Amino acid sequence: PLLGLSFYNLIPSCNYCNSNLKGAIPFNLATHIHPYKEGFGHDATFDYLQIANYPQKSDPRNYQVEIIAKINNANPKYARIFGNGVNPSIGNLNVFKLLEIYQGHTDVVGELILKMDRNSPYYAQSIYQLITAVGATKREFYRYYFSNYLDDRDFNRRPLAKLTKDIVAKYMPE
């Protein structure tokens, strides 16, 4: 309670995440990831499944978002991200219902796939080559083409930055 009004203790979040989901759950570094100290990094990545074939490739009904564990469930960080299967107040994915929330962004997944695969898996690569021919960097290309940040350290600057990077990395590895 003492740090309740300390600027350095506050993490911007919407009312839904801060009040409705978090509620009175006690948070500490042993049970949850602190977004300013560490992120999911490469320990958890976004992926998607194509679950339908609506004619428009970017149709959000075509996709389902997944969050894939890239670490062993014996690793202590695993429970802090994915939970322990027993206590629903442990793990960021559980408490903040991240998988359910990201299902609401399948439109972004559809747009990314459309941008990456315009009749060819080499489409984005060819655009990147054209842009770099005029002196743009990979970061500039990424910001322009995918409307997001390439570097992990900038993920806090734009919503869905990690989702974007993980989905794009399937087609266009760094």
Side-chain angles (χ1 to χ4, degrees):
L2 179 64
L3 298 175
L5 296 176
S6 169
F7 176 76
Y8 296 102
N9 190 43
L10 299 177
I11 296 174
S13 63
C14 68
N15 184 55
Y16 184 71
C17 289
N18 193 42
S19 300
N20 296 348
L21 295 177
K22 185 178 82 173
I25 294 172
F27 281 77
N28 64 59
L29 295 178
T31 57
H32 299 89
I33 298 292
H34 189 293
Y36 287 162
K37 296 188 185 292
E38 63 182 319
F40 294 167
H42 297 288
D43 297 329
T45 58
F46 288 100
D47 203 344
Y48 68 91
L49 289 174
Q50 185 164 351
I51 58 171
N53 286 311
Y54 287 93
Q56 193 173 18
K57 190 172 191 114
S58 63
D59 191 317
R61 296 173 294 176
N62 285 332
Y63 306 102
Q64 177 180 314
V65 174
E66 294 187 317
I67 301 174
I68 308 296
K70 299 291 184 173
I71 57 174
N72 187 296
N73 63 359
N75 184 319
K77 189 174 180 184
Y78 181 93
R80 295 170 54 223
I81 296 172
F82 293 94
N84 62 8
V86 178
N87 185 343
S89 66
I90 293 177
N92 288 43
L93 293 184
N94 291 334
V95 173
F96 294 111
K97 302 196 181 315
L98 294 180
L99 191 55
E100 293 88 343
I101 288 171
Y102 276 97
Q103 293 306 330
H105 298 291
T106 54
D107 60 326
V108 173
V109 173
E111 290 170 11
L112 290 170
I113 291 167
L114 186 64
K115 286 180 177 182
M116 293 301 301
D117 190 20
R118 276 278 204 207
N119 303 319
S120 166
Y122 305 105
Y123 183 70
Q125 287 288 353
S126 65
I127 292 173
Y128 171 66
Q129 289 171 353
L130 287 172
I131 290 176
T132 55
V134 295
T137 66
K138 186 167 187 168
R139 282 188 186 103
E140 291 168 330
F141 162 73
Y142 196 90
R143 283 285 313 278
Y144 166 77
Y145 196 64
F146 299 113
S147 303
N148 228 313
Y149 292 95
L150 178 64
D151 294 322
D152 296 6
R153 68 176 177 264
D154 293 325
F155 283 176
N156 65 327
R157 298 177 71 189
R158 179 137 327 140
L160 307 178
K162 179 164 176 41
L163 171 73
T164 299
K165 185 172 183 181
D166 289 349
I167 299 300
V168 168
K170 288 184 70 167
Y171 288 91
M172 195 171 107
E174 282 188 54

